Amino acid sequence: VQLVESGGGLVQPGGSLRLSCAASEFTFSSYWMHWVRQAPGKGLVWVSRIKTDGSSVSYADSVKGRFTISRDNAKNTLYLQMNSLRAEDTALYYCVRDSGITDTTLDYWGQGTLVTVSS
Amino acid sequence: SYELTQPPSVSVSAGQTAIITCSGDKLRNKYACWYQQKPGQSPVLVIYQNSKRPSGIPERFSGSNSGNTATLTISGTQAKDEADYYCQTWDSSNVVFGGGTKLTVL
């Protein structure tokens, strides 16, 4: 299983970024996927999840209305569109696979892509 | 919103047993997972469904969940087990993480 995030960088407050996660070595279309973030020196915070076919999504309250999760199963790629970015969105963003075992079990994590929101 | 509470830090002497707790309302009615994160690395799943170990995770890692508390136990703790540990569960369509516990091996 490989998960490779990209798209992070420095953005001004109020700006936008689109993160991507290229998945390989497993049947991407069969798994729910998540984004989890970690601010520098802080703990893990769940951001969003998406069902196998994209028909169901959910978000943490802190990003609802600003972030949009999506996927392209033909390209084996997960996305996170981030709009109206704030300083508190600064974090390392992980792309994570949900194993499909009862409830949520996050069995594979990417290396993360760093998003810095600053003027 | 649902919350999971972990002690910020736990210390253990090498070779001894480390116990890390995770408390949440009626947690016994949910499944808990545990992740290990070493400095500069991505988290690794070490326990799922309260007490199951993924392949490749040493037998010294075990878990339980009863009452309002899930517990991660590391028997015969080794220096390489020094890391941050996070519990996680699921509530009302949201994934919830505990605040994390820094395990120091003396």
Side-chain angles (χ1 to χ4, degrees):
Chain A
V1 173
Q2 288 202 21
L3 299 167
V4 180
E5 302 93 336
S6 61
L10 175 63
V11 61
Q12 293 187 339
S16 298
L17 273 179
R18 188 197 199 199
L19 306 185
S20 299
C21 170
S24 61
E25 306 300 327
F26 69 101
T27 306
F28 179 69
S29 60
S30 297
Y31 291 85
W32 292 59
M33 297 294 296
H34 301 253
W35 289 99
V36 175
R37 69 185 182 184
Q38 187 171 34
K42 302 297 184 181
L44 302 174
V45 176
W46 175 75
V47 173
S48 182
R49 68 164 178 128
I50 186 167
K51 191 178 177 180
T52 52
D53 61 359
S55 62
S56 175
V57 298
S58 60
Y59 301 93
D61 287 344
S62 59
V63 306
K64 203 171 294 183
R66 300 188 298 123
F67 290 13
T68 302
I69 190 172
S70 62
R71 64 192 298 163
D72 185 335
N73 286 342
K75 296 183 178 180
N76 291 338
T77 303
L78 177 72
Y79 302 101
L80 186 67
Q81 177 67 45
M82 305 186 297
N83 299 330
S84 303
L85 283 161
R86 307 166 179 167
E88 54 265 36
D89 295 318
T90 294
L92 187 64
Y93 284 74
Y94 292 104
C95 168
V96 190
R97 190 182 85 164
D98 191 323
S99 69
I101 299 172
T102 306
D103 289 351
T104 296
T105 299
L106 307 176
D107 62 349
Y108 285 95
W109 298 61
Q111 289 302 305
T113 186
L114 182 62
V115 172
T116 302
V117 184
S118 174
S119 55
Chain B
S1 61
Y2 194 81
E3 294 185 358
L4 293 173
T5 301
Q6 299 180 235
S9 63
V10 168
S11 297
V12 63
S13 298
Q16 299 304 302
T17 298
I19 297 175
I20 300 174
T21 59
C22 172
S23 299
D25 184 44
K26 299 178 181 177
L27 185 55
R28 66 184 179 278
N29 295 333
K30 305 176 184 293
Y31 281 119
C33 298
W34 290 90
Y35 303 89
Q36 175 195 67
Q37 187 179 34
K38 297 181 179 179
Q41 297 184 19
S42 300
V44 172
L45 177 69
V46 294
I47 294 289
Y48 67 99
Q49 283 188 347
N50 298 329
S51 59
K52 297 181 179 180
R53 280 180 292 105
S55 60
I57 300 301
E59 290 184 8
R60 64 179 182 274
F61 288 87
S62 63
S64 63
N65 185 6
S66 65
N68 292 327
T69 303
T71 302
L72 174 68
T73 302
I74 309 173
S75 304
T77 306
Q78 301 180 9
K80 61 183 174 182
D81 298 329
E82 187 163 286
D84 294 326
Y85 290 85
Y86 296 90
C87 59
Q88 173 255 311
T89 192
W90 167 259
D91 181 77
S92 301
S93 298
N94 288 339
V95 176
V96 181
F97 288 99
T101 298
K102 180 176 181 59
L103 177 66
T104 300
V105 181
L106 304 173

